[in-house]
Amino acid sequence: MSLTRPRALCAVAALALGMPVVFSGPATAAVPTYAVYLQNFATGLNAADSGGTVAAHNPKGNEDHQQWTPVAVNGGHELRNTDKSGTCLGRSGTSAVTASCGADGTTWTITAATDSTYTIAVPGTSQYLTGVSSDSSAVQIGGSGSLARWYLTPVTYATTAMPSTDTRTLDQVTFLTSHNAFANGVDGNFASFPVSLFPNQSRGVGQQLTDGVRGFMLDTYAVSGKAVLCHNSCDGVSGPVPLATDLQRMVDFLKAHPGEFATVFLEDYVASDVLRSSLASVSGLSDVLYRPDQEGVATKGWPTMADLAARGRQLLIFSDRTRASDVSAGYVTRDTFGVMYQREWTVENYWSMGGGLGGSDWSCYSRWGTSRPLTTDSAAFRPLFVMNHFRDYTVGGTAETDNGKLVNRAQNFCTPAARKKPNYLAVDRYDLGSPSPLTTVGNLNTYVLTPGQ
């Protein structure tokens, strides 16, 4: 049974209340009959109606004329824009345009390709709807290739219930994550004036662990040969918290709570030998450290949470540095001592929703550009999806409002943008918002997406 638009709206309402929703998905080769995003396979960008032309834009939910409904017509399919009645995706020469449905150039041959993608062709020709390049916003009519492959990504995904506790895998679970967990004004100094006036969190890392936070974003700088935690820089910061101090808190908590799992994301400004020395000072770290690089995850997929719990592998550490930058600098690569290069294992959306006050930008696109879009995936290995949901600087009232809208953005903006459910929801002031970020995480942990869409 296909997921029609009225049913999709019911699904959104049910999921927002934390109710599991079970639908059967469409056949992989079938052309969908419900609203979709035309999402480019190579770039992850969406085809949007842009004042009569069609352009590649950052995914932005229902805010940017990016939703289309395939409708069977004589000779193929039309792609009808859901925002503009009677408007279809069309073509004029080599340009992609919008035109009145039924006009010349609005009929397409939509054919299933590989990896859940489709081609959208001019009927009877070898010309396709295509992007121009990975760094261009143009959409045009041209030849075949990866830029001429499109996901027909559902506006609202069909879902099935979360697998049982003994079979669910790491990439099926969502974790509450505190952005700049160290910048809390409780554990120690984290920034100089005036940045110190805007703590990202209001509770120390120990309390965050108790409250259910399981992802921790930490900024590391080198001071006197040690990795310490500061925001922007350590200039003028007296007594910043050592990285080893917060890691020790986590290791101690995890050992006292078998079966729990935590992840650290380092915004990493230290040489690898400084980081290695700091990690070596954390008692018991090697006992709980999880090493996906040593377990064939890139070819076999992520393990079950039950397997990790049984083996006591409870802590995963990422660095935002790249392997190439470390090699270029002559450093020992960080994965030799258990710190994974994040860009090899995750995808992550751009970090800012805007300033601390005023309007916000809910578009969801890769922090690392079109070379690693949020849609990056394979049959063997699904990168973990880190979803950022915070502003340039933290204002309590704004964070409270934003956090109350987290479930909406996660389900209706970022899930279709990445074609995967977020694994980490990163927020400021996780203690604020209604529903709370922890409640939103609980809601997301009741279901998984139906595969093959």
Side-chain angles (χ1 to χ4, degrees):
M1 181 180 296
S2 63
L3 180 60
T4 61
R5 187 165 180 79
R7 194 173 182 188
L9 294 175
C10 292
V12 172
L15 289 172
L17 294 173
M19 299 166 58
V21 182
V22 182
F23 294 134
S24 59
T28 301
V31 176
T33 58
Y34 45 80
V36 299
Y37 299 101
L38 304 184
Q39 192 166 25
N40 193 269
F41 170 77
T43 67
L45 303 181
N46 287 346
D49 175 11
S50 182
T53 63
V54 176
H57 287 181
N58 293 326
K60 202 173 183 180
N62 62 354
E63 296 184 355
D64 189 40
H65 310 303
Q66 298 181 1
Q67 298 179 4
W68 311 83
T69 302
V71 177
V73 296
N74 186 35
H77 283 82
E78 287 182 339
L79 289 160
R80 298 179 180 175
N81 192 275
T82 63
D83 294 327
K84 297 183 177 181
S85 178
T87 298
C88 280
L89 188 147
R91 55 194 176 272
S92 176
T94 60
S95 298
V97 299
T98 52
S100 297
C101 296
D104 289 345
T106 58
T107 300
W108 302 88
T109 299
I110 302 177
T111 305
T114 59
D115 301 319
S116 300
T117 64
Y118 294 79
T119 57
I120 303 172
V122 178
T125 76
S126 58
Q127 293 292 293
Y128 301 90
L129 186 73
T130 182
V132 176
S133 67
S134 61
D135 59 356
S136 172
S137 64
V139 177
Q140 64 178 26
I141 312 304
S144 62
S146 62
L147 285 162
R149 291 166 58 193
W150 300 85
Y151 294 114
L152 303 187
T153 298
V155 167
T156 302
Y157 264 89
T159 66
T160 55
M162 173 69 78
S164 62
T165 55
D166 60 333
T167 62
R168 66 187 59 169
T169 54
L170 178 59
D171 57 321
Q172 293 175 322
V173 181
T174 302
F175 301 95
L176 177 60
T177 300
S178 56
H179 170 234
N180 287 345
F182 65 96
N184 53 59
V186 176
D187 292 332
N189 296 323
F190 63 90
S192 59
F193 181 85
V195 176
S196 59
L197 299 177
F198 300 96
N200 298 95
Q201 309 298 335
S202 64
R203 299 174 183 177
V205 167
Q207 187 62 50
Q208 292 177 35
L209 284 159
T210 299
D211 290 346
V213 175
R214 293 294 178 267
F216 301 87
M217 292 182 167
L218 308 174
D219 295 0
T220 56
Y221 292 83
V223 173
S224 301
K226 294 183 178 180
V228 299
L229 304 174
C230 301
H231 195 192
N232 292 344
S233 81
C234 288
D235 293 344
V237 181
S238 61
V241 176
L243 169 64
T245 297
D246 274 350
L247 289 179
Q248 191 68 63
R249 290 182 172 117
M250 296 175 201
V251 170
D252 293 346
F253 176 88
L254 293 171
K255 288 198 167 189
H257 298 83
E260 294 292 344
F261 188 86
T263 305
V264 171
F265 300 90
L266 299 177
E267 187 173 315
D268 196 353
Y269 299 100
V270 302
S272 62
D273 59 338
V274 172
L275 181 59
R276 178 172 55 182
S277 176
S278 293
L279 267 59
S281 69
V282 180
S283 176
L285 176 61
S286 61
D287 298 336
V288 299
L289 192 62
Y290 172 51
R291 297 285 303 269
D293 59 327
Q294 295 182 346
E295 299 191 8
V297 168
T299 56
K300 297 188 301 184
W302 296 99
T304 65
M305 299 303 297
D307 172 67
L308 292 170
R311 296 188 290 124
R313 295 302 169 188
Q314 299 171 265
L315 182 63
L316 178 56
I317 302 177
F318 291 116
S319 168
D320 71 346
R321 292 183 69 96
T322 64
R323 183 184 302 276
S325 69
D326 276 351
V327 171
S328 176
Y331 294 155
V332 172
T333 58
R334 287 159 209 258
D335 53 357
T336 59
F337 52 89
V339 176
M340 302 295 101
Y341 291 103
Q342 187 180 342
R343 272 173 259 199
E344 297 177 3
W345 300 96
T346 75
V347 292
E348 179 176 347
N349 67 308
Y350 182 67
W351 59 271
S352 175
M353 295 167 63
L357 297 171
S360 59
D361 180 2
W362 278 31
S363 58
C364 220
Y365 59 98
S366 177
R367 172 186 177 185
W368 299 314
T370 54
S371 63
R372 189 169 177 81
L374 297 181
T375 51
T376 300
D377 210 347
S378 73
F381 168 67
R382 168 153 288 194
L384 302 176
F385 175 24
V386 182
M387 179 187 152
N388 296 311
H389 186 78
F390 47 83
R391 306 277 188 125
D392 293 0
Y393 56 93
T394 307
V395 175
T398 303
E400 182 173 14
T401 298
D402 287 345
N403 289 349
K405 299 176 180 178
L406 178 61
V407 66
N408 184 2
R409 187 167 183 237
Q411 291 177 337
N412 299 324
F413 287 72
C414 291
T415 289
R419 294 179 53 83
K420 54 183 77 71
K421 188 178 72 169
N423 299 107
Y424 298 92
L425 292 182
V427 298
D428 285 335
R429 292 299 305 275
Y430 71 87
D431 55 305
L432 300 177
S434 180
S436 71
L438 192 59
T439 297
T440 295
V441 168
N443 290 344
L444 268 62
N445 279 328
T446 65
Y447 68 91
V448 294
L449 306 186
T450 300
Q453 298 184 74

